[in-house]
C-alpha cells in the first residue's frame, strides 16, 4: 500500500474526494425527490415535525470547522453504514406494506440505497488511504425490528430521509475540507474565528 | 417637577397643575406660548383628540406670582404595530443576522427584545452597534434539521407587539452580490465581451463552501435578458453580443448546495470592440474615401465640398470637418 503522503496516494485521495463530492450532490438531489414521493405516497404532511429518531445518525454537529480529517471520515462512515441498514429496512417494510402496488417508491428507495452503498465504499477507501483502515462492522447487524405502528414507521421513514438529505450536504463539505488539507489527519483546519 | 408623558394620537388628555387646587388661578404654556383659557377646566388643561403637532413642553404657572408649579413633556405617539422581521445568513457557515423595522413610525421611543430558540436551547443574538435594528448570532451547530424560532417584541410606553419567524439553517442562506464586476470588450472581436467579478467579501470560506453564479446581460435597446449559469470560476466571455451595441450586465451568486440567490450585483455597461472608422481629419484621407465602404460605421464618401482642388488654408479644413461630421451623423441615424 502506498505511503499516506506519496504522490499516488495524494492523487487517489483527490480523485476519491472529487468523486465523493459529486456523488454526495447527486445523492442529495435524489433524496430530496424521494422525500417528495415518500410524503405523497405515504400520505404524510410535508411540514410534519419529526422528533429526533432513535438509531438515525443526526447530521448536526458542533465545532464542525475544528474536526480533523479522520474524525470527518469516521463520523461519515458510521452514519452511512447506519443509513444503509435503515434504508434496507425501509425498503423491506415498503414491499411488505404495499406489495408491488408502489413500485416507483420502491425503485426510488433502492436507487438511493445504492448511492449510499457507493458513498460508503468511497469513505472506506479514503480511510484506507489515511493508513487507518475503516473500522470493522462487527456488532453492527441490521437494526432491531421496531414494534412501531404503521404511522410511526412512516414518520420514522420521513425522519431517516430528512436526516440523510442533511448528511449529503455535510458530506460534500467534509470532503472539500479533506481535499483542502494536506494528508496527515492530525491537522485540524479551522476557520478564522472573527464574526 | 418635570417629567415625560406619553399619550396616544386621538386621546383626550387632562393635565393637572401639580398639587394646585382645581379652582386655583393658573396659566398654562405650550413650548413657551400661553394657552388660551378655552382649553382650561379650572386649573386643569384639557387637550382633546391630541395629534402629533401637540407634542412639546407644557408648563403651568401660578396666577399672579408666575411660579412654575408643574412641567411636563408631552409626547404624542402610537403603540407599535406588528414589526417586520427577517433573518439571513450572508456569511455561512459562521452565523446569521436578523433585522427588523416597524411598518409605521410610533413617534415615541421603542425598545426591542429578540429571542432565538433552537430546539430547547436559547441563543443570544448580539445587537449590532450599526445598523441599530439588527443583531447577529453565531451558529453553534451546523447541518441541523431542527428549526430556529426567532421572536421579536417591540415595546413602548403605549403598548407592545411582537412577531415570530421560524426557519431552518439552510433556508436563510443568501450571499451578498458578487463584487467588482468588470466588463471589457475583446480586441478584434466585435461580438465578445469579457466579464469578471469577485466573490462577495462577506462570504468567509469560498473554498469549502463554493459559490455558483448567474450572469444576465442584454443590449440597452432590448428588454429581454440572456442568462448564463456558471458552476465555478469568476469570469465568463459573452460570445453572442450584437456588434456595436452597449450592453448592461449583472451577476448574482448562490451557495452551490443550499439557500437562495443573492440580489443582482451593481450593473456594468460595456460595448463590444468595433473597427475604427476611417478618419476625416486630412484632405488626403478624405480623397481616398471615394468608393467602397465595408463597415456600417464608415461615413458615406465625402463630396466635392472637400475636394482637393477647393482646399485653401485652414478655413477649408474646417469645412471638411463639418461636412465629415454631418455625414457621420447621417451614418449613425441609419444604424
Amino acid at each position: 500500500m502506498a505511503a499516506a503522503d506519496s504522490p499516488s496516494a495524494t492523487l487517489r485521495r483527490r480523485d476519491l474526494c472529487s468523486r465523493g463530492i459529486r456523488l454526495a450532490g447527486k445523492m442529495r438531489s435524489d433524496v430530496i425527490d424521494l422525500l417528495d414521493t415518500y410524503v405523497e405516497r405515504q400520505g404524510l404532511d410535508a411540514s410534519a415535525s419529526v422528533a429526533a429518531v432513535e438509531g438515525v445518525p443526526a447530521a448536526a454537529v458542533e465545532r464542525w470547522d475544528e474536526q480533523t480529517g479522520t474524525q470527518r471520515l469516521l463520523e461519515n462512515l458510521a452514519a452511512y453504514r447506519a443509513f444503509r441498514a435503515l434504508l434496507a429496512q425501509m425498503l423491506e417494510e415498503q414491499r411488505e406494506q404495499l406489495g408491488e402496488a408502489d413500485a416507483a417508491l420502491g425503485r426510488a428507495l433502492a436507487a438511493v440505497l445504492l448511492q449510499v452503498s457507493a458513498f460508503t465504499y468511497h469513505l472506506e477507501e479514503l480511510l484506507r488511504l489515511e493508513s487507518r483502515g475503516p473500522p470493522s462492522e462487527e456488532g453492527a447487524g441490521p437494526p432491531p425490528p421496531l414494534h412501531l405502528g404503521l404511522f410511526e414507521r412512516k414518520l420514522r421513514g420521513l425522519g431517516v430521509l430528512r436526516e440523510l438529505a442533511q448528511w449529503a450536504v455535510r458530506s460534500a463539505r467534509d470532503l472539500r475540507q479533506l481535499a483542502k488539507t494536506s494528508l496527515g489527519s492530525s491537522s485540524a483546519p479551522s476557520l478564522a474565528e472573527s464574526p | 417637577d418635570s417629567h415625560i408623558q406619553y399619550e396616544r394620537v386621538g386621546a383626550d388628555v387632562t393635565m393637572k397643575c401639580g398639587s394646585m387646587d382645581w379652582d386655583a388661578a393658573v396659566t398654562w404654556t405650550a413650548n413657551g406660548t400661553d394657552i388660551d383659557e378655552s382649553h382650561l377646566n379650572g386649573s386643569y388643561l384639557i387637550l382633546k383628540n391630541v395629534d402629533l403637532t401637540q407634542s412639546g413642553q407644557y408648563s403651568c404657572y401660578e396666577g399672579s406670582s408666575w411660579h412654575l408649579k408643574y412641567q411636563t413633556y408631552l409626547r404624542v405617539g402610537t403603540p407599535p404595530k406588528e414589526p417586520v422581521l427577517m433573518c439571513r445568513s450572508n456569511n455561512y457557515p459562521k452565523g446569521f443576522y436578523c433585522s427588523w423595522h416597524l411598518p409605521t413610525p410610533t413617534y415615541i421611543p421603542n425598545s426591542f427584545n429578540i429571542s432565538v430558540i433552537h430546539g430547547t436551547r436559547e441563543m443570544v443574538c448580539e445587537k449590532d452597534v450599526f445598523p441599530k435594528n439588527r443583531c447577529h448570532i453565531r451558529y453553534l451547530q451546523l447541518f441541523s434539521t431542527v428549526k430556529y424560532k426567532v421572536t421579536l417584541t417591540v415595546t413602548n410606553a403605549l403598548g407592545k407587539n411582537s412577531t415570530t419567524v421560524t426557519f431552518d439553517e439552510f433556508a436563510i442562506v443568501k450571499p451578498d452580490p458578487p463584487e467588482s464586476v468588470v466588463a471589457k470588450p475583446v480586441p478584434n472581436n466585435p461580438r465578445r465581451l469579457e466579464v469578471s467579478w469577485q466573490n462577495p467579501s462577506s462570504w468567509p470560506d469560498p473554498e469549502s463552501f463554493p459559490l455558483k453564479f448567474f450572469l444576465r446581460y442584454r443590449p440597452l435597446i432590448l428588454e429581454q435578458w440572456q442568462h448564463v449559469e456558471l458552476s465555478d470560476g469568476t469570469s465568463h466571455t459573452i460570445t453572442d453580443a450584437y456588434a456595436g451595441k452597449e450592453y448592461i450586465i449583472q451577476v448574482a451568486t448562490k451557495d452551490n448546495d443550499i439557500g437562495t440567490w443573492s440580489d443582482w450585483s451593481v450593473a456594468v455597461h460595456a460595448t463590444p470592440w468595433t473597427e475604427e472608422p476611417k478618419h476625416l481629419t486630412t484632405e488626403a484621407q478624405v480623397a481616398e474615401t471615394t468608393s467602397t465602404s465595408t463597415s456600417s460605421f464608415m461615413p458615406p464618401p465625402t463630396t466635392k465640398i472637400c475636394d482637393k482642388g477647393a482646399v485653401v488654408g485652414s478655413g477649408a479644413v474646417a469645412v471638411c470637418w463639418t461636412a465629415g461630421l454631418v455625414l457621420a451623423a447621417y451614418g449613425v441615424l441609419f444604424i
Side-chain angles (χ1 to χ4, degrees):
Chain A
M1 177 151 72
D5 53 357
S6 73
S8 65
T10 309
L11 280 170
R12 174 98 180 112
R13 171 192 247 240
R14 202 156 43 202
D15 181 51
L16 282 167
C17 280
S18 58
R19 281 204 226 180
I21 290 166
R22 280 198 297 277
L23 179 53
K26 167 98 175 68
M27 196 161 47
R28 181 186 182 223
S29 158
D30 286 357
V31 169
I32 287 175
D33 291 343
L34 173 55
L35 264 165
D36 289 340
T37 309
Y38 189 86
V39 159
E40 196 200 310
R41 301 299 168 103
Q42 303 286 46
L44 294 168
D45 175 1
S47 61
S49 194
V50 182
V53 188
E54 201 192 306
V56 177
V61 58
E62 300 199 4
R63 301 181 202 278
W64 173 85
D65 52 326
E66 293 172 20
Q67 287 198 326
T68 64
T70 306
Q71 268 176 304
R72 293 178 196 282
L73 289 171
L74 288 171
E75 286 188 23
N76 271 267
L77 183 60
Y80 284 91
R81 280 177 173 171
F83 280 118
R84 194 170 52 189
L86 287 163
L87 285 170
Q89 188 178 51
M90 277 171 72
L91 198 52
E92 194 56 45
E93 286 169 2
Q94 193 259 344
R95 282 178 187 147
E96 281 168 11
Q97 176 202 327
L98 295 164
E100 290 306 308
D102 198 346
L105 181 56
R107 275 198 300 272
L109 268 167
V112 167
L113 175 53
L114 193 60
Q115 289 177 62
V116 166
S117 300
F119 196 72
T120 307
Y121 164 78
H122 268 82
L123 295 166
E124 286 165 351
E125 282 299 298
L126 277 162
L127 271 163
R128 278 188 196 106
L129 278 180
E130 304 272 311
S131 308
R132 265 202 71 117
S136 69
E137 287 188 77
E138 91 286 312
L146 298 156
H147 301 289
L148 294 175
L150 180 59
F151 184 66
E152 280 82 12
R153 263 187 275 152
K154 288 182 186 182
L155 277 185
R156 190 164 196 275
L158 184 62
V160 169
L161 293 176
R162 278 190 184 154
E163 213 57 54
L164 179 57
Q166 297 292 103
W167 264 106
V169 175
R170 174 175 165 183
S171 301
R173 315 288 197 194
D174 279 324
L175 291 179
R176 284 196 197 102
Q177 285 290 87
L178 211 68
K180 217 165 78 163
T181 59
S182 51
L183 281 160
S185 51
S186 53
S187 59
S190 59
L191 298 169
E193 279 305 308
S194 57
Chain B
D1 70 296
S2 168
H3 69 302
I4 300 177
Q5 186 174 347
Y6 294 100
E7 301 289 345
R8 282 190 194 218
V9 170
D12 294 336
V13 180
T14 302
M15 287 189 203
K16 292 188 188 175
C17 187
S19 54
M20 300 288 282
D21 293 333
W22 176 81
D23 56 357
V26 298
T27 305
W28 282 94
T29 64
N31 296 327
T33 308
D34 285 11
I35 298 175
D36 188 73
E37 277 181 13
S38 59
H39 293 285
L40 298 184
N41 176 359
S43 64
Y44 296 173
L45 174 63
I46 313 290
L47 300 171
K48 285 203 178 287
N49 191 26
V50 290
D51 62 43
L52 296 169
T53 62
Q54 289 172 289
S55 294
Q57 190 172 67
Y58 289 80
S59 310
C60 176
Y61 300 89
E62 187 178 17
S64 47
S65 68
W66 277 92
H67 282 148
L68 177 66
K69 286 296 178 184
Y70 178 76
Q71 195 169 62
T72 186
Y73 201 94
L74 177 67
R75 301 281 307 260
V76 180
T78 62
K81 291 214 159 78
E82 185 177 338
V84 177
L85 172 67
M86 77 86 145
C87 298
R88 183 179 152 216
S89 175
N90 65 342
N91 63 344
Y92 190 79
K94 287 231 176 100
F96 63 91
Y97 71 85
C98 293
S99 73
W100 56 87
H101 67 271
L102 288 170
T104 51
T106 60
Y107 304 98
I108 60 177
N110 306 299
S111 69
F112 298 89
N113 185 40
I114 191 158
S115 89
V116 180
I117 298 182
H118 184 221
T120 51
R121 188 192 257 169
E122 172 128 24
M123 302 169 79
V124 174
C125 196
E126 304 209 18
K127 293 230 174 124
D128 288 348
V129 172
F130 186 81
K132 267 187 333 150
N133 290 357
R134 198 155 126 162
C135 69
H136 62 271
I137 195 162
R138 295 176 121 219
Y139 279 122
L140 296 174
Q141 260 188 359
L142 288 180
F143 313 110
S144 172
T145 46
V146 174
K147 289 189 190 280
Y148 289 82
K149 185 168 139 171
V150 181
T151 301
L152 175 76
T153 307
V154 190
T155 309
N156 70 18
L158 301 174
K160 70 199 265 185
N161 213 326
S162 70
T163 188
T164 298
V165 295
T166 308
F167 53 84
D168 59 56
E169 181 187 315
F170 292 172
I172 59 163
V173 176
K174 177 178 170 181
D176 288 327
E179 294 172 10
S180 309
V181 184
V182 172
K184 292 194 288 209
V186 178
N188 303 303
N189 273 287
R191 302 204 64 192
R192 288 185 179 221
L193 285 169
E194 213 167 70
V195 189
S196 66
W197 58 90
Q198 283 173 9
N199 292 326
S201 49
S202 50
W203 196 251
D205 188 6
E207 231 182 295
S208 305
F209 295 83
L211 296 166
K212 60 183 177 183
F213 301 95
F214 213 84
L215 194 88
R216 71 175 184 180
Y217 58 96
R218 65 173 171 87
L220 285 182
I221 55 174
L222 293 180
E223 303 248 322
Q224 190 84 3
W225 292 96
Q226 299 274 84
H227 293 106
V228 180
E229 187 166 333
L230 302 154
S231 57
D232 59 9
T234 53
S235 64
H236 176 72
T237 303
I238 296 166
T239 56
D240 61 349
Y242 291 115
K245 299 291 178 272
E246 187 180 348
Y247 271 76
I248 178 167
I249 299 148
Q250 287 177 296
V251 192
T253 186
K254 179 186 167 306
D255 175 271
N256 226 22
D257 303 316
I258 63 176
T260 58
W261 288 97
S262 70
D263 291 340
W264 289 107
S265 69
V266 164
V268 293
H269 292 240
T271 307
W273 174 92
T274 52
E275 200 179 331
E276 280 279 318
K278 297 259 168 88
H279 290 298
L280 300 169
T281 46
T282 68
E283 329 137 40
Q285 283 174 313
V286 160
E288 283 168 35
T289 62
T290 45
S291 50
T292 57
S293 73
T294 50
S295 155
S296 57
F297 292 89
M298 284 279 273
T302 51
T303 65
K304 292 179 280 196
I305 297 167
C306 294
D307 207 23
K308 232 181 183 175
V311 167
V312 178
S314 58
V317 173
V319 170
C320 289
W321 257 115
T322 313
L325 280 171
V326 165
L327 293 165
Y330 257 88
V332 166
L333 275 177
F334 285 118
I335 292 170

